[in-house]
Amino acid sequence: MSIFRRFSLVILLFLGFQTISFSQSNEVVSFSIPKTIYFGGEKIWISGQVNQNATVSESIILYAELINRYNESVAIGKMPLEEGESFNFLQLPQDLPSDNYLLRVFTRVSPYQNPETGISQQFITVFNRLAPPDVVEKREEFKFGGTSSYNEIKTSQDEVSPGDNLSVDVSAIGEVDEVSISVINPFLGNQDKIKSSSVYESVDSKNLLPELFGHIIEAKIEGENID
């Protein structure tokens, strides 16, 4: 065996042991923000911490992401970690519509280790005079269980709690282009951290690689666009 091949084998074994050790220690992500109401274009200052078995985490980058009501990412920031801590900001887009958003903080690997401790999230409210909320001129309230005027709309259950699945049957009405459900809530009621079990159905598993020599960037390349 040549010196080069022996050297490569040692590197592979080293990375293998590091990967196993890394995957066995779950990261615990936490953060705090000074307020929960913001304006379009404002900065969300975030104080983040990542611990691993009560010690400093091996990760060197903390992510902050803002999700809208359609499960779309509308803003994301990369915040360097020093000794497991970070104090940085997430910049809100100037044209971000007025609405409630889910702010979540995580590392590259923490969601796949344990979603309950690897993702920390809470709701925030954004106001934007350039993109005000939609005003419903004529709002009709549908009560679960149905009434004489809503016999054509059927729901799978009469009462719904956070995390429950609700199905709506409007087949009796005929052809329907779109159905949407929202909760009448002019103010943000829950301003505490939210458990991942009440937000995500599941998190796909993946192979975890530690950031031993710097930040690892992941990207998806479409086959037809490869040069």
Side-chain angles (χ1 to χ4, degrees):
M1 180 182 291
S2 66
I3 295 177
F4 177 76
R5 292 182 63 184
R6 273 202 303 269
F7 179 75
S8 299
L9 180 61
V10 171
I11 291 295
L12 288 174
L13 288 174
F14 173 73
L15 288 176
F17 285 127
Q18 287 290 330
T19 303
I20 294 172
S21 174
F22 188 80
S23 63
Q24 289 176 344
S25 302
N26 293 340
E27 292 183 334
V28 179
V29 178
S30 60
F31 75 95
S32 61
I33 53 178
K35 58 182 182 177
T36 58
I37 297 178
Y38 294 87
F39 293 93
E42 195 174 354
K43 297 176 180 177
I44 303 178
W45 286 96
I46 301 172
S47 176
Q49 300 82 34
V50 183
N51 295 319
Q52 193 171 11
N53 287 347
T55 61
V56 175
S57 170
E58 297 177 9
S59 291
I60 61 175
I61 294 295
L62 189 65
Y63 293 96
E65 186 178 24
L66 203 63
I67 306 297
N68 65 12
R69 64 174 62 234
Y70 305 107
N71 197 29
E72 298 171 337
S73 178
V74 295
I76 188 168
K78 186 177 69 172
M79 305 181 297
L81 284 165
E82 295 184 5
E83 298 297 322
E85 296 186 352
S86 173
F87 183 68
N88 216 308
F89 65 86
L90 174 64
Q91 180 73 55
L92 296 180
Q94 289 283 354
D95 58 350
L96 189 65
S98 301
D99 206 345
N100 295 328
Y101 294 87
L102 180 71
L103 172 65
R104 63 186 183 189
V105 177
F106 52 93
T107 72
R108 187 179 55 84
V109 298
S110 61
Y112 305 99
Q113 295 175 328
N114 186 345
E116 206 60 57
T117 59
I119 314 175
S120 184
Q121 59 251 313
Q122 72 178 100
F123 286 120
I124 67 166
T125 300
V126 176
F127 291 106
N128 194 338
R129 65 180 182 84
L130 301 177
D134 294 333
V135 177
V136 180
E137 296 182 359
K138 184 180 179 182
R139 184 187 299 274
E140 297 184 22
E141 181 180 355
F142 170 72
K143 296 184 179 299
F144 289 103
T147 64
S148 58
S149 59
Y150 290 100
N151 289 332
E152 296 175 329
I153 302 177
K154 298 179 181 180
T155 57
S156 58
Q157 54 197 76
D158 294 341
E159 296 182 0
V160 181
S161 301
D164 290 348
N165 292 323
L166 176 69
S167 62
V168 180
D169 183 6
V170 293
S171 58
I173 297 178
E175 184 176 351
V176 177
D177 294 332
E178 181 181 354
V179 176
S180 63
I181 301 174
S182 62
V183 179
I184 299 177
N185 181 15
F187 302 101
L188 185 59
N190 187 356
Q191 298 189 20
D192 299 324
K193 295 296 188 298
I194 305 171
K195 293 183 177 180
S196 295
S197 58
S198 64
V199 179
Y200 314 104
E201 290 185 356
S202 62
V203 175
D204 295 336
S205 60
K206 65 179 300 184
N207 295 326
L208 304 181
L209 293 175
E211 298 171 330
L212 298 176
F213 306 106
H215 179 51
I216 299 175
I217 299 176
E218 299 182 48
K220 181 179 180 181
I221 302 177
E222 299 295 338
E224 64 273 11
N225 295 328
I226 296 178
D227 187 355

